[in-house]
Amino acid sequence: MPKARRPACRLSQLRCIVSGEMVNKTRKEGAQGHRLLKRRIVVVVVPPVEELDLVGPAQVLSAANRLAGKKVYSIEIVTNAKELTVEGEGGILSFLAQSRLQDVTGKIDSVLLVCGVGTRLVRDPALSAWMRNIAPAIRRLGGVCVGSFLLAEAGLLNGKRATTHWKFVRELAKRYPKVRVETDPIWVKDGNIYTSAGISAGIDLALAWVEEDCGGVIAQAVACELVLFLRRHGGQQQLSVSLASQASEMKSIQELQIWIADNLSRELSVQLLAERVAMSVRNFERVFTREVGSAPSRYVSQLRVEAARRLLTQTEKSIDQIAVSCGFGSADLMRRAFIRTIGITPARYRKSISM
């Protein structure tokens, strides 16, 4: 049986953290290894900001410093505003920036741009000019959530792939038609520019940076320390089938959804599902479609595709093995479901998330 690539929170990894051997283990990881150089990360905030968009990535980078046993990242919070006090959009938290944007000097490794829903439409020529000037000189320039609007306003996303929070992808595409907006991914890299979906996806983007700089062991250790259920790759969808359909208020349908997710390898006919909730097939199809927003057979297929995508991302199981474990019955049936649901084959999907 092929081994999983990196299952979350392996005991050996946690032992490395406890024993202080994480840096040595990381340097041995892979053929090329990772040199833990000190990197200056400038976080540019355009207030008021979405609080988690700022705190989440900062916490990831801070945890990487601690778990690496040295200061891998020097993190600076700067603002384009006149005042150093940065208000949060929620009206509860406020932050104090270390300096103003115009005062930033010296060599920078990476820049991360953070704003808020209300400030996504800010027109700041000085900020746009600064980003255009700095982009070719730095290793990475990232925008969290609707920060992609400000990157687009600066012209930095013209002709490039980019994403943003699912609520705003249509608006981004309409306002900036030269941007190749992608709806589904959690984060997107095009050249040295990174964009991410909303809120928690900023954590995923920061973890991707940590993996690039420090290796998978430390990135995984940070994810474990933050008690993340799953360290998500950029190609994963923003909205899962399960999450998007959990709005049903009928307890029987909610319980059925949980049972389906736990029994994907079984033959899940509409007849079987209807019997589990003590309904006729006709009534069940009507009620399920009304409550979930999808016909039962389509929902099961989408859930199987979602499960298969996780296995393609997290394990080295063959496509045949994944097809059986997810209830498709054959690799060919899984391939058809993938093309129908996400437009590409399982093999191409696996290749895309490993790039």
Side-chain angles (χ1 to χ4, degrees), residues 264-293:
L264 288 177
S265 61
R266 297 182 56 169
E267 183 178 346
L268 300 175
S269 66
V270 176
Q271 177 73 42
L272 174 65
L273 299 180
E275 289 175 357
R276 285 199 63 84
V277 290
M279 294 182 185
S280 67
V281 170
R282 183 176 180 180
N283 187 45
F284 169 69
E285 288 185 314
R286 180 182 61 81
V287 171
F288 190 93
T289 302
R290 182 193 69 206
E291 292 293 313
V292 178

Side-chain angles (χ1 to χ4, degrees), residues 57-335:
Q59 183 66 30
V60 168
L61 300 175
S62 175
N65 281 342
R66 183 171 61 259
L67 294 173
K70 64 180 294 185
K71 195 170 184 180
V72 180
Y73 297 109
S74 170
I75 308 163
E76 300 173 33
I77 310 296
V78 307
T79 180
N80 70 323
K82 294 181 179 179
E83 301 296 328
L84 292 179
T85 299
V86 177
E87 298 295 337
E89 278 192 321
I92 299 174
L93 299 177
S94 61
F95 311 90
L96 189 63
Q98 293 162 279
S99 62
R100 297 174 182 83
L101 183 64
Q102 62 265 32
D103 298 327
V104 175
T105 59
K107 186 176 181 180
I108 300 171
D109 178 83
S110 303
V111 170
L112 189 65
L113 179 66
V114 179
C115 63
V117 170
T119 50
R120 75 188 187 281
L121 303 180
V122 162
R123 300 293 183 267
D124 185 340
L127 172 62
S128 294
W130 186 86
M131 289 193 295
R132 284 194 297 270
N133 289 334
I134 201 73
I138 60 177
R139 194 160 58 95
R140 294 177 300 216
L141 172 58
V144 179
C145 193
V146 290
S148 53
F149 279 78
L150 300 183
L151 293 174
E153 178 65 21
L156 293 169
L157 298 182
N158 289 346
K160 292 184 178 292
R161 297 166 50 244
T163 192
T164 190
H165 191 287
W166 60 270
K167 282 187 176 182
F168 300 99
V169 288
R170 289 185 179 178
E171 181 185 350
L172 181 64
K174 184 177 180 180
R175 285 182 175 274
Y176 304 100
K178 293 182 180 180
V179 181
R180 296 163 54 194
V181 180
E182 298 199 2
T183 304
D184 289 334
I186 289 174
W187 57 267
V188 169
K189 174 186 177 183
D190 194 325
N192 72 332
I193 296 183
Y194 298 68
T195 51
S196 74
I199 317 300
S200 64
I203 293 175
D204 297 292
L205 177 58
L207 281 168
W209 285 13
V210 170
E211 183 167 17
E212 288 180 3
D213 300 337
C214 308
V217 173
I218 287 184
Q220 196 72 26
V222 172
C224 289
E225 179 161 295
L226 297 181
V227 199
L228 299 177
F229 175 71
L230 174 68
R231 186 159 65 86
R232 304 179 295 183
H233 293 264
Q236 188 167 324
Q237 286 180 300
Q238 293 188 32
L239 288 177
S240 71
V241 177
S242 303
L243 180 62
S245 59
Q246 282 175 1
S248 171
E249 296 183 359
M250 288 186 63
K251 187 175 181 181
S252 60
I253 297 297
Q254 290 177 353
E255 291 176 347
L256 178 64
Q257 288 176 275
I258 295 171
W259 184 85
I260 291 172
D262 289 338
N263 292 273
L264 288 177
S265 61
R266 297 182 56 169
E267 183 178 346
L268 300 175
S269 66
V270 176
Q271 177 73 42
L272 174 65
L273 299 180
E275 289 175 357
R276 285 199 63 84
V277 290
M279 294 182 185
S280 67
V281 170
R282 183 176 180 180
N283 187 45
F284 169 69
E285 288 185 314
R286 180 182 61 81
V287 171
F288 190 93
T289 302
R290 182 193 69 206
E291 292 293 313
V292 178
S294 175
S297 57
R298 185 168 185 268
Y299 174 79
V300 170
S301 179
Q302 289 177 323
L303 208 60
R304 282 175 168 153
V305 168
E306 187 175 86
R309 290 174 71 170
R310 285 196 297 269
L311 292 176
L312 288 166
T313 300
Q314 300 167 37
T315 75
E316 294 179 352
K317 287 183 176 180
S318 70
I319 289 176
D320 286 326
Q321 289 174 319
I322 292 173
V324 172
S325 65
C326 293
F328 289 105
S330 71
D332 183 58
L333 289 175
M334 184 169 82
R335 183 182 63 82

Side-chain angles (χ1 to χ4, degrees), residues 6 29 142 174:
R6 279 195 291 269
E29 184 190 56
K174 184 177 180 180

Side-chain angles (χ1 to χ4, degrees), residues 23-59:
V23 175
N24 291 334
K25 184 171 178 61
T26 302
R27 286 175 176 168
K28 293 176 183 177
E29 184 190 56
Q32 77 278 8
H34 291 83
R35 295 181 61 196
L36 300 185
L37 304 174
K38 186 174 180 180
R39 306 177 188 276
R40 183 186 181 196
I41 309 291
V42 174
V43 182
V44 179
V45 295
V46 181
V49 298
E50 170 59 52
E51 292 89 339
L52 188 57
D53 285 349
L54 173 58
V55 175
Q59 183 66 30

